Amino acid sequence: MKKVNFIEEAITSEKEIREIVGAPHEFIIKKAISIMDEHCRQFISKSPLCFLSTSDAEGNCDVSPRGDGPGAIKVLNPHQLVIPDRLGNRRVDSMLNIVSNPHIGLIFLIPGIEEVLRINGRAYITQNKEILNEMIWENQVPSLGIGVDIEECFFHCPRALKTSNIWHPEKWDKNVDIPSMKEIFYDHLKINGVEIKE
């Protein structure tokens, strides 16, 4: 299929979107709260996986999965939490975005639960030793953390996770056949002109 010019027929206003989609019920608007109440804090304490969405000052976006044991993300109080930064590939895309644009979005998941918790706020890179020393994992203290000032929290409906059957292994496609991640990695390096010596 040839490249599509999305700009030609793009919807460019809220009015156009609302004419097609309609308006949300009042309850949907008012379910968003500005603090992490007991329900939010409990959900975060049980969540081993969250997705961190950031963008830089020019609007270039990134979403990064953050997996750890349940409770690894530390809720400091109803208004703040800290995500430990575990040593990885050193790309630090999320942190580089945060230093130029603090606005972030988070989605927390719990295996087997089809609702997710969404949190929006402002993030800052922290070296606070008192906090980071409480986030030890495999005998290592994270050298950095992402501190978040909470602006909005709400639980999202289960439709996406329900229809994807993500928590139902018996419904997964047993015939998925994709190359190994090593093969994909090398092929992507070649696209960027990196010569791979076998």
Side-chain angles (χ1 to χ4, degrees):
M1 182 177 189
K2 67 178 183 179
K3 189 174 180 181
V4 176
N5 186 346
F6 288 117
I7 297 174
E8 283 185 350
E9 298 181 354
I11 290 174
T12 58
S13 71
E14 180 179 351
K15 182 176 181 291
E16 292 175 281
I17 294 171
R18 289 297 177 200
E19 285 173 355
I20 297 168
V21 177
H25 190 281
E26 178 188 17
F27 289 1
I28 300 301
I29 297 294
K30 292 190 173 177
K31 72 177 182 176
I33 58 177
S34 60
I35 62 168
M36 292 177 291
D37 70 349
E38 182 56 38
H39 300 299
C40 297
R41 295 195 299 270
Q42 183 181 36
F43 198 94
I44 293 169
S45 75
K46 306 292 183 186
S47 173
L49 175 66
C50 80
F51 292 89
L52 170 63
S53 173
T54 61
S55 66
D56 65 18
E58 285 74 47
N60 300 299
C61 299
D62 185 72
V63 177
S64 172
R66 300 290 167 135
D68 227 327
I73 292 178
K74 185 174 182 59
V75 175
L76 302 179
N77 53 60
H79 306 280
Q80 296 177 307
L81 60 78
V82 178
I83 304 166
D85 188 70
R86 308 297 184 193
L87 187 62
N89 60 19
R90 296 182 175 85
R91 281 185 58 108
V92 297
D93 297 310
S94 299
M95 289 196 288
L96 293 176
N97 284 344
I98 288 167
V99 296
S100 68
N101 175 9
H103 297 280
I104 69 157
L106 295 163
I107 290 184
F108 291 89
L109 295 91
I110 298 175
I113 304 293
E114 291 174 333
E115 288 79 9
V116 299
L117 173 62
R118 290 172 58 176
I119 291 182
N120 297 311
R122 290 177 180 257
Y124 307 91
I125 310 305
T126 180
Q127 295 184 80
N128 185 303
K129 298 301 182 190
E130 182 180 352
I131 295 171
L132 296 176
N133 284 337
E134 296 180 9
M135 307 180 92
I136 295 173
W137 182 66
E138 293 187 347
N139 296 318
Q140 292 195 335
V141 176
S143 55
L144 296 170
I146 299 172
V148 181
D149 285 336
I150 307 301
E151 294 177 340
E152 182 181 48
C153 306
F154 61 95
F155 286 92
H156 194 100
C157 73
R159 188 176 68 84
L161 271 66
K162 186 183 291 292
T163 56
S164 71
N165 290 311
I166 191 70
W167 305 133
H168 300 282
E170 70 280 3
K171 296 183 180 179
W172 295 348
D173 183 353
K174 303 300 188 291
N175 300 310
V176 173
D177 184 23
I178 62 171
S180 71
M181 287 300 116
K182 181 179 179 181
E183 291 176 87
I184 294 171
F185 181 64
Y186 282 176
D187 284 346
H188 287 184
L189 289 175
K190 290 174 186 174
I191 288 172
N192 284 321
V194 179
E195 185 177 342
I196 306 298
K197 295 179 181 179
E198 302 292 342

